[in-house]
Amino acid sequence: MGTDIHGNLQQRWGKERPYETIGPIEDTRNYRVFAALAGVRNWFGFAGCQTHEAMEPISAPRGLPSGLPADGEYYGDHSWSWLYLREVIDWKGWGLSLHETGIVSVAEYGNMRRDGIIVPKGWSGGVMGPGIVVVDEAETIPPNATHVQVQWERPMREACKTFVLWLDYLKSAHGWRLESDPDALRLVFGFDS
């Protein structure tokens, strides 16, 4: 069973006014985004398989904010939090490289080596079953190997591309508001598993 994020983008018009929901948070299932926002699924995927190095999140979960609009929104069942949009946009982690790991088939590994591909097209955190033999890419691949554990590095912005594009859009659409009121927009979210 996987983890999903549930949340909204909220705004306020003036420091004395309450926040109101203006739309959903970009919500694809990307554990790197979850790790960045609140340390959720930080370094591991399904069934505890390591998928990337642990990272320092923007913030530990803060709980749901007081005065949350009574919109009946479901925010998941754990790790509730909120972040000002400026905190998310300004997080230094978006500019870092992320070290990832996963398992690919021997055929995929051969294609990666032949074509000079660094990030696999298809990979999983773990595989098991009768006849499955996983070896590390640093080892000589024996004839009975079925899968290879590989490691790669890519920019965090690329690993979280859809979410980062959404942030770029929000920055271009609301940057003027953030200049006059840095706390004018916030993300409120939680997770379910």
Side-chain angles (χ1 to χ4, degrees), residues 63-123:
L64 292 175
S66 62
L68 194 63
D71 56 11
E73 182 67 30
Y74 173 66
Y75 290 102
D77 55 21
H78 66 85
S79 305
W80 302 286
S81 194
W82 60 273
L83 295 166
Y84 291 118
L85 181 61
R86 67 172 165 76
E87 291 179 283
V88 181
I89 290 171
D90 293 343
W91 184 57
K92 301 292 186 218
W94 301 124
L96 300 178
S97 289
L98 182 66
H99 299 275
E100 297 177 280
T101 185
I103 298 174
V104 298
S105 69
V106 168
E108 174 73 10
Y109 180 70
N111 292 338
M112 289 174 62
R113 299 287 301 217
R114 183 192 70 228
D115 299 337
I117 297 170
I118 296 172
V119 178
K121 293 178 183 173
W123 60 276

Side-chain angles (χ1 to χ4, degrees), residues 13-193:
W13 291 99
K15 295 179 181 180
E16 303 304 318
R17 309 252 338 250
Y19 284 92
E20 60 186 20
T21 297
I22 59 173
I25 194 170
E26 190 287 316
D27 65 356
T28 60
R29 182 183 284 178
N30 186 325
Y31 293 162
R32 286 128 193 94
V33 171
F34 301 175
L37 293 177
V40 171
R41 291 288 180 134
N42 196 356
W43 74 262
F44 68 95
F46 181 75
C49 297
Q50 183 176 358
T51 56
H52 61 88
E53 66 186 340
M55 66 184 78
E56 184 71 30
I58 298 167
S59 174
R62 297 173 171 167
L64 292 175
S66 62
L68 194 63
D71 56 11
E73 182 67 30
Y74 173 66
Y75 290 102
D77 55 21
H78 66 85
S79 305
W80 302 286
S81 194
W82 60 273
L83 295 166
Y84 291 118
L85 181 61
R86 67 172 165 76
E87 291 179 283
V88 181
I89 290 171
D90 293 343
W91 184 57
K92 301 292 186 218
W94 301 124
L96 300 178
S97 289
L98 182 66
H99 299 275
E100 297 177 280
T101 185
I103 298 174
V104 298
S105 69
V106 168
E108 174 73 10
Y109 180 70
N111 292 338
M112 289 174 62
R113 299 287 301 217
R114 183 192 70 228
D115 299 337
I117 297 170
I118 296 172
V119 178
K121 293 178 183 173
W123 60 276
S124 66
V127 294
M128 65 177 87
I132 299 291
V133 177
V134 180
V135 297
D136 191 272
E137 67 182 323
E139 301 173 21
T140 301
I141 310 298
N144 67 332
T146 59
H147 294 81
V148 181
Q149 178 86 39
V150 296
Q151 293 161 10
W152 63 93
E153 183 178 334
R154 62 179 164 162
M156 183 67 169
R157 288 184 66 87
E158 182 182 313
C160 303
K161 188 174 183 174
T162 302
F163 187 80
V164 170
L165 288 172
W166 183 66
L167 289 178
D168 290 345
Y169 163 76
L170 293 175
K171 184 177 180 180
S172 68
H174 300 283
W176 62 274
R177 291 185 60 205
L178 297 177
E179 286 180 23
S180 61
D181 180 4
D183 302 339
L185 291 112
R186 69 183 181 187
L187 303 178
V188 178
F189 55 89
F191 302 87
D192 66 23
S193 296

